[in-house]
Amino acid sequence: MPAQMPAIPWHKPRKADPRQPLSRSLIVETAIRVLDAEGLSGVTMRRVAQELGTGPASLYAHVSNKEELFELMLERVVAEIRLPLRPEPERWKEQITEICFEAQRVLTAHRDVSLVSLGSIPIGESQLRITEFLLDLLLQVGLPPQVAAWALDGLGQLIDTDAYEASVYTERMARGTDLGAYFDQLRGYLHDLPTDRFPTLQGMADTMMTGDGDQRYAFKIEVFLRGLESFLPAEARTGASAGAGTGAGAGTWAPADRAGLVSDGPGWHGAAGGSGRAGGSERADDSGPAGG
Amino acid sequence: MPAQMPAIPWHKPRKADPRQPLSRSLIVETAIRVLDAEGLSGVTMRRVAQELGTGPASLYAHVSNKEELFELMLERVVAEIRLPLRPEPERWKEQITEICFEAQRVLTAHRDVSLVSLGSIPIGESQLRITEFLLDLLLQVGLPPQVAAWALDGLGQLIDTDAYEASVYTERMARGTDLGAYFDQLRGYLHDLPTDRFPTLQGMADTMMTGDGDQRYAFKIEVFLRGLESFLPAEARTGASAGAGTGAGAGTWAPADRAGLVSDGPGWHGAAGGSGRAGGSERADDSGPAGG
DNA sequence: TTCTTCGAACGAACACTGTTCTACGAGTCG
DNA sequence: CGACTCGTAGAACAGTGTTCGTTCGAAGAA
């Protein structure tokens, strides 16, 4: 808060704080401020009310529930997700990947919110805006309507789940857990598994732990999109389709180049000392494909 | 509770209840009983303690946390998931689909538990057992190790998220919401969307609402598996691979035949007049094979 | 101007929550 | 027999979401 002029003493001296009256949007904004500062579990009616200089009961005049408040918060957050200007069917996979990463950037920028998203049907205006865009894109690509509709479902789950998982790790780290040590420990645990009962897993401990959150996320998106691609009717397939041929060996696979839209600043990725989800948290400064 | 004999008055009249002493597993079992009866939010330390005829403080001698208790509960639940006798690489997609449905069956049979699973790394013994099986299977199919490893991640998220979403609807229905009416309302809402801003979505309202939870789940699994298939090196591809050619038109796509293990009838579909994800837990008595 | 009305604001309270402190009591070891 | 553990609990602390009943301030009616 910047310096503020003192209240003129003879103007309504009775009420010291010239705060604006309560309103739905003011409450939601305040709640989001608390969310960003202390995580979703820190957003309590009392905490929000206190931030507004009032009591918890006052909030119930504008918001019927804590659940409703949460959903309003989610809507406001989702509204921050930016979309490309228009669908470009010829590079639909790249475009969807970009949107997925943009969504994850925004969601994880607000701590835990994705948990709210996980359990609710996305019918808010902002959510529908994204749905509309993706649906349009998928239809233009040539996917059958039913496939496109159901694909949105899966895509939404993918985004939400990954954002939530990422936030869980961020929260855990914010509470003092050293993720680097934790993952090393985990790797050791996998490595020490009894060979007779877990022969495959035990031998692949390192492979299981490879890759940070972004890499894994990109992989999942790519798998889903390739799967979607296989539902394209024969006549809708362009030559660019990675489809069947480009089998990609183990290490040779690389996440789609995420240029454009997502290229704003370092974002959360590097900031907190490493990976979103797994492995090598010591690589905070890696210049990877992601940053801008 | 069946009728119970009254305690013989002159046998230890001091302590009326001849209950067995507290123990970790007894607490976990009791907690799961409460979970099944009242959902995850009903599992409170006080409630579990009360069920055991004691106070909440007594639990902390065996369980360090509510969080730890939840994870112990998850482990016990996941242990119920049955696996096929051995990997059958020649029908890997069917087998994975079966496992996914079996997992969902078990998870949703215990209300909310999947929420616990969503935020934790699956390192319990039972979870690793499943991981080991799937990893073995995927490697036998010929997937590159790194792809197989990361695929497990995605598969786990798919299972957990879908189970959680299903449970959310079940819980909501248990609280009295009529899902049929709710989805009709939702369909109407989509249909009434302003045509200028949501042209695609508005016209596809019905398509968006088509399909029950199982169908959508099967679709997502199929997409993921087809995507995975595209990572098979050329030499590992059998003729059976649906891969590129069998493009499937709009309505012609059908979920993979879920024989054996998952062969439980119509499920809840008819009940709520449509889509969604909830319901039909009334078929717990299916005699599926797959045991072992 | 005065009176009524009505919804927003809010203090207090209710019934909960997870967790900890501390005392009690039985069992075992020396 | 005393000392010493350790599982069992009662009570309490600091919170939680939500509701009740009241107050208050401004707008509309007389």
Side-chain angles (χ1 to χ4, degrees):
Chain A
M1 294 256 183
Q4 195 174 340
M5 290 294 289
I8 301 171
W10 54 89
H11 275 180
K12 296 206 178 192
R14 284 252 311 277
K15 209 147 198 175
D17 53 344
R19 65 173 183 278
Q20 44 191 317
L22 283 184
S23 77
R24 233 172 134 94
S25 64
L26 180 60
I27 291 176
V28 173
E29 269 173 46
T30 309
I32 288 185
R33 238 176 37 230
V34 175
L35 165 74
D36 291 346
E38 319 189 11
L40 194 65
S41 71
V43 180
T44 66
M45 301 305 264
R46 279 179 172 79
R47 185 76 184 73
V48 174
Q50 169 195 335
E51 203 77 4
L52 288 163
T54 178
S58 304
L59 306 181
Y60 285 85
H62 303 93
V63 159
S64 65
N65 244 344
K66 196 192 169 188
E67 194 180 320
E68 184 180 303
L69 174 57
F70 275 6
E71 261 158 37
L72 291 171
M73 291 165 65
L74 177 66
E75 239 296 305
R76 254 202 72 105
V77 166
V78 171
E80 290 178 26
I81 298 177
R82 292 168 302 177
L83 291 175
L85 288 176
R86 61 190 174 295
E88 301 173 37
E90 65 281 358
R91 50 184 291 278
W92 64 285
K93 285 168 70 176
E94 290 84 349
Q95 209 165 37
I96 290 182
T97 306
E98 286 163 18
I99 293 174
C100 286
F101 271 92
E102 161 74 358
Q104 212 218 22
R105 182 188 67 80
V106 170
L107 286 177
T108 54
H110 293 283
R111 312 281 291 255
D112 274 310
V113 233
S114 40
L115 182 55
V116 180
S117 175
L118 267 175
S120 65
I121 301 182
I123 50 168
E125 186 179 331
S126 305
Q127 282 137 311
L128 288 185
R129 174 186 58 110
I130 300 175
T131 305
E132 169 74 19
F133 185 94
L134 289 173
L135 194 54
D136 187 19
L137 176 56
L138 291 179
L139 289 180
Q140 282 191 39
V141 169
L143 277 177
Q146 187 63 84
V147 170
W150 285 347
L152 286 181
D153 198 10
L155 224 38
Q157 278 188 5
L158 190 64
I159 293 172
D160 289 345
T161 309
D162 232 86
Y164 176 61
E165 217 165 281
S167 75
V168 166
Y169 288 99
T170 309
E171 296 296 311
R172 206 164 290 181
M173 212 169 51
R175 263 186 230 147
T177 318
D178 180 6
L179 280 188
Y182 178 64
F183 284 117
D184 283 347
Q185 199 175 329
L186 190 53
R187 188 197 315 270
Y189 174 73
L190 286 182
H191 197 74
D192 293 346
L193 244 36
T195 315
D196 54 335
R197 299 182 49 201
F198 303 99
T200 322
L201 195 48
Q202 192 263 353
M204 291 206 15
D206 288 324
T207 314
M208 294 289 296
M209 304 290 299
T210 301
D212 64 4
D214 278 3
Q215 273 177 286
R216 296 167 100 95
Y217 188 41
F219 173 77
K220 276 172 261 184
I221 296 170
E222 175 73 13
V223 170
F224 193 82
L225 292 180
R226 286 204 199 179
L228 230 44
E229 203 167 26
S230 77
F231 283 92
L232 280 174
E235 71 270 15
R237 265 173 227 230
T238 72
S241 125
T246 68
T252 68
W253 181 84
D257 181 36
R258 333 202 307 275
L261 190 145
V262 207
S263 68
D264 48 345
W268 67 282
H269 172 231
S275 66
R277 182 185 343 288
S281 64
E282 63 275 25
R283 318 212 14 239
D285 53 345
D286 87 48
S287 58
Chain B
M1 297 241 183
Q4 196 172 339
M5 290 294 290
I8 301 173
W10 55 90
H11 276 182
K12 295 205 176 191
R14 287 251 313 276
K15 214 150 195 177
D17 53 346
R19 66 176 182 276
Q20 45 190 317
L22 282 182
S23 77
R24 233 171 135 95
S25 64
L26 179 60
I27 290 176
V28 173
E29 269 174 47
T30 310
I32 288 184
R33 237 177 37 230
V34 175
L35 164 74
D36 291 345
E38 320 189 8
L40 194 66
S41 71
V43 180
T44 66
M45 301 306 262
R46 277 181 172 77
R47 187 75 183 71
V48 174
Q50 171 195 332
E51 204 77 6
L52 288 163
T54 179
S58 305
L59 307 182
Y60 284 85
H62 305 270
V63 158
S64 66
N65 243 342
K66 195 192 169 188
E67 195 179 322
E68 184 180 302
L69 175 58
F70 275 6
E71 262 159 35
L72 291 172
M73 291 165 64
L74 177 65
E75 241 296 304
R76 253 201 73 103
V77 166
V78 171
E80 292 179 24
I81 298 177
R82 294 168 299 177
L83 290 176
L85 289 176
R86 61 192 174 291
E88 302 173 35
E90 65 280 1
R91 51 185 289 277
W92 64 283
K93 286 167 70 175
E94 290 84 350
Q95 210 165 37
I96 291 183
T97 306
E98 286 163 17
I99 293 173
C100 286
F101 271 92
E102 161 75 358
Q104 212 218 23
R105 184 188 66 81
V106 170
L107 286 176
T108 54
H110 293 282
R111 312 280 291 256
D112 275 310
V113 235
S114 40
L115 182 56
V116 180
S117 175
L118 267 175
S120 64
I121 302 181
I123 49 169
E125 186 180 328
S126 305
Q127 281 137 312
L128 288 185
R129 174 185 60 110
I130 299 175
T131 305
E132 169 73 18
F133 185 94
L134 288 173
L135 194 53
D136 186 18
L137 176 57
L138 291 178
L139 290 181
Q140 282 192 39
V141 168
L143 279 177
Q146 186 60 259
V147 170
W150 285 347
L152 285 181
D153 198 10
L155 225 36
Q157 278 189 5
L158 190 64
I159 293 172
D160 289 345
T161 310
D162 232 85
Y164 176 61
E165 217 163 282
S167 73
V168 166
Y169 288 98
T170 310
E171 297 296 311
R172 205 164 290 181
M173 210 171 52
R175 263 188 230 145
T177 317
D178 180 7
L179 281 186
Y182 178 64
F183 285 116
D184 283 347
Q185 199 175 329
L186 189 52
R187 185 198 315 271
Y189 174 74
L190 286 182
H191 197 75
D192 293 346
L193 246 35
T195 314
D196 55 335
R197 298 183 51 203
F198 302 97
T200 322
L201 194 48
Q202 192 263 354
M204 290 208 10
D206 288 323
T207 313
M208 293 290 295
M209 304 292 295
T210 300
D212 63 5
D214 280 1
Q215 272 177 288
R216 296 167 101 96
Y217 187 42
F219 173 77
K220 277 174 259 181
I221 297 170
E222 175 73 14
V223 170
F224 193 82
L225 292 181
R226 285 203 198 181
L228 228 45
E229 203 166 27
S230 77
F231 283 91
L232 280 175
E235 72 271 14
R237 266 176 228 230
T238 73
S241 122
T246 68
T252 70
W253 181 82
D257 181 34
R258 336 203 303 279
L261 193 144
V262 209
S263 70
D264 47 348
W268 62 282
H269 173 230
S275 62
R277 196 171 294 344
S281 61
E282 66 274 18
R283 317 194 36 92
D285 54 343
D286 86 59
S287 59

